[in-house]
Amino acid sequence: MSDASPDTRSLDVINARSEGTLPGHLGIVITAQRPGEIEAELPIAPHLMAPNGFLHAGSILTLADTAAGYGCMANLPEGAQSFTTLEIKSNHLATAREGRLRCVATMVHGGRSTQLWDAKVMHAETGKTLALFRCTQMVLYPRG
């Protein structure tokens, strides 16, 4: 029997899904899951940087999209099988060169056919907001 709490086991399962995919390759880790909310972190590393020496905007966007995606999966309506992203919007306010990124994604709308998620990406150590993100997810159902 595991000594891990139910929440820890749940996070282990979520993070195991990332292995062998882009979120796992980049180093994104889901750190908390609550109804309608997901938190994730990403250590800043050289492979996340743009050629100009600053954090690549795509790295920030991938963190936010991953958090919103896992949030959507955890909050699918009954009978739904999966989801796909319909639209993404991000506003980048600042950048970073070291430390960790922290993202909090929150469900704004949880309908039967779509979900709308907002995410805020911050520098974990300073709390400075780096980007604001919004995405629309289409809920997918099995054919039948």
Side-chain angles (χ1 to χ4, degrees):
M1 177 163 234
S2 171
D3 290 337
S5 69
D7 184 55
T8 303
R9 285 192 301 269
S10 175
L11 293 176
D12 289 344
V13 170
I14 291 170
N15 286 307
R17 289 190 70 162
S18 290
E19 292 178 19
T21 66
L22 182 61
H25 175 72
L26 294 181
I28 295 171
V29 175
I30 304 302
T31 57
Q33 176 186 352
R34 293 174 287 282
E37 187 175 274
I38 290 279
E39 291 185 29
E41 288 192 354
L42 176 61
I44 297 172
H47 67 275
L48 301 175
M49 307 306 267
N52 66 1
F54 290 97
L55 192 60
H56 195 287
S59 299
I60 294 172
L61 186 65
T62 301
L63 173 62
D65 187 47
T66 299
Y70 275 118
C72 184
M73 287 173 54
N75 291 277
L76 288 173
E78 187 174 333
Q81 179 179 26
S82 192
F83 75 95
T84 191
T85 302
L86 291 176
E87 181 180 39
I88 293 175
K89 162 109 173 80
S90 63
N91 293 97
H92 298 262
L93 309 171
T95 191
R97 292 183 181 202
E98 58 186 24
R100 287 175 300 120
L101 302 178
R102 178 174 174 263
C103 177
V104 178
T106 307
M107 182 169 41
V108 176
H109 166 74
R112 289 208 32 84
S113 59
T114 62
Q115 289 189 13
L116 182 66
W117 284 80
D118 282 346
K120 183 177 181 181
V121 178
M122 300 149 282
H123 191 275
E125 288 81 16
T126 67
K128 184 175 186 175
T129 299
L130 303 181
L132 301 173
F133 169 92
R134 174 166 274 190
C135 72
T136 305
Q137 311 284 20
M138 180 172 63
V139 178
L140 303 174
Y141 293 87
R143 293 183 190 219

